[in-house]
Amino acid sequence: MTEHVREKLVAANDIDAALEESLTTVWDAKVYSWDNSKYPFNEWMLNRIRGMGYKLDDLSYLHESVPLNETYKVTKQLCADTNLPEFRRMLNRFVREVIVPQGKLRLPVAVQRFMNVRIMLPTTPELFFPFHTGLLYGHGIASRSIWMPFCDVTADEDRSRSMQILSIKKSRELIQQAIDKRLSMDEMTQLFGKESWQIKAGPGSACFFTQENIHGSGRPNTSGKTRVSMDFRVAEGIYGDYLGRKIPAGYFHLIPDTEEEEETLAAHPRRADAFFNGKNNIFYVANNTASTYGIPVHLQRYMLIDYCNKNKLEFDYELFDLEDMTHLPTLRYLVENRECNIVMYSIFALPEDASYRNRLLETAAKRGTIIHFVNEDLQLANADDLTTIKKYLEFAKYGKSRLPIGLPLTGASKLFFDKWAGSLAQYG
Ligand SMILES: [Fe+2]
């Protein structure tokens, strides 16, 4: 296991200043390039589409080979394919060798679990992606976005098939204006469009930007050619508690720090067999932590049922934890007293107190109790799993985070919650 080189931890007072510096310089809608032959994502995509039976040798002309009504299916398949081990290896290497140094990030970093692959056709003028920001989609302030076109869109005439973007400074100003004036989608398209510029990139280059840069197609693709691109996000551990709704392990996956770790992990077989240990699987639902507080138990239950069906696990009954009791007595009872496995919503539904939490997890591992964490698709079945789970919780600074885990806190949501500040202070 690699020891993370821990640069001197940024002092609490300076942490926002350091993040602000990074966001407004290196990550402010800057295009970076690299040797494409080392990470040929565009060729990989082209080959996958060919593998689906379509004849083409240039992604710019995909609309001539793939029938319109099959494009959505192709897009979804490509998104799913980005989780294939061979793609993941190339991507992780790319993140370590290009994004981390060029973006001046520090390890450990986590990467979005599924890439977004997008196909923008020249034949569907009514379909284009309106302007937006990551914050408005529930992403946290410290998350970083990468937009990578697989077709060359550097020419001026390719403007409408590229992506349009605005500086972080201008974006902050205009988003506030849009909120204050309650602008419609059309008004925003007008206002943001005027200030936007075309990202000029192609295979071997990408735009790095923040969750505050306004971006989008903003207009129909009238170039006559298709654009295929991929976008995804990365996050640094140092700001692991500034990721809004996109919490680590569910949305973000920690990637190995080195190629050697990558090899070791690849050698580990998937252990679905271990889940069948003869014990009943019992559902556990609760609203006792920041990230489960607002998730109704019937929605948690849907996720648990879906997970069990996918994994062919039988399930028995359900226990609910006692609201207000942050020591989660029901969970403790299941772990310490029952001979069962536990199916629960998330690792972020575990107790926030680290020593108590570790005691429960270690007891479960010792007693052969498997705990399934559905949202993250993580399972506690052995000591290695325990290490992985602890790494994710540490990444998110669970229990000592500066903002509640799983809640977006922009200036606007702060105002939103402040509505109740007065009555809450008087309550009880
Ligand atoms: Fe976006």
Side-chain angles (χ1 to χ4, degrees), residues 5-47:
V5 183
R6 292 214 181 270
E7 290 188 26
K8 233 171 69 193
L9 214 60
V10 181
N13 289 343
D14 296 336
I15 198 158
D16 292 327
L19 179 60
E20 174 72 0
E21 166 76 13
S22 167
L23 298 178
T24 53
T25 56
V26 182
W27 285 85
D28 188 11
K30 299 280 194 311
V31 172
Y32 296 92
S33 44
W34 56 87
D35 176 358
N36 192 50
S37 66
K38 288 173 78 178
Y39 322 96
F41 296 109
N42 58 324
E43 284 164 28
W44 196 89
M45 290 289 162
L46 180 64
N47 285 332

Side-chain angles (χ1 to χ4, degrees), residues 118 129 132 137 209 215 231 233:
R118 302 185 203 269
F129 228 79
H132 60 280
Y137 279 3
F209 63 102
H215 62 280
D231 52 274
R233 290 178 172 83

Side-chain angles (χ1 to χ4, degrees), residues 307-367:
Y307 172 90
C308 285
N309 288 340
K310 273 190 192 138
N311 288 282
K312 301 195 169 41
L313 293 173
E314 303 223 348
F315 45 94
D316 210 337
Y317 59 92
E318 167 185 303
L319 290 181
F320 176 76
D321 223 323
L322 305 171
E323 192 126 9
D324 286 346
M325 293 200 177
T326 51
H327 64 295
L328 313 186
T330 306
L331 183 63
R332 181 177 171 187
Y333 163 75
L334 282 173
V335 168
E336 293 182 351
N337 301 92
R338 294 295 302 268
E339 286 298 325
C340 66
N341 301 320
I342 301 164
V343 185
M344 61 191 281
Y345 175 66
S346 168
I347 56 173
F348 298 99
L350 288 166
E352 296 199 9
D353 177 81
S355 59
Y356 179 52
R357 178 175 69 238
N358 288 338
R359 202 179 85 210
L360 288 188
L361 291 173
E362 280 151 22
T363 304
K366 215 175 291 161
R367 296 188 75 220

Side-chain angles (χ1 to χ4, degrees), residues 149-167:
F150 297 135
C151 307
D152 190 317
V153 290
T154 51
D156 288 345
E157 57 267 29
D158 283 319
R159 173 149 196 184
S160 68
R161 74 166 168 147
S162 181
M163 192 169 80
Q164 327 298 319
I165 200 158
L166 285 76
S167 74

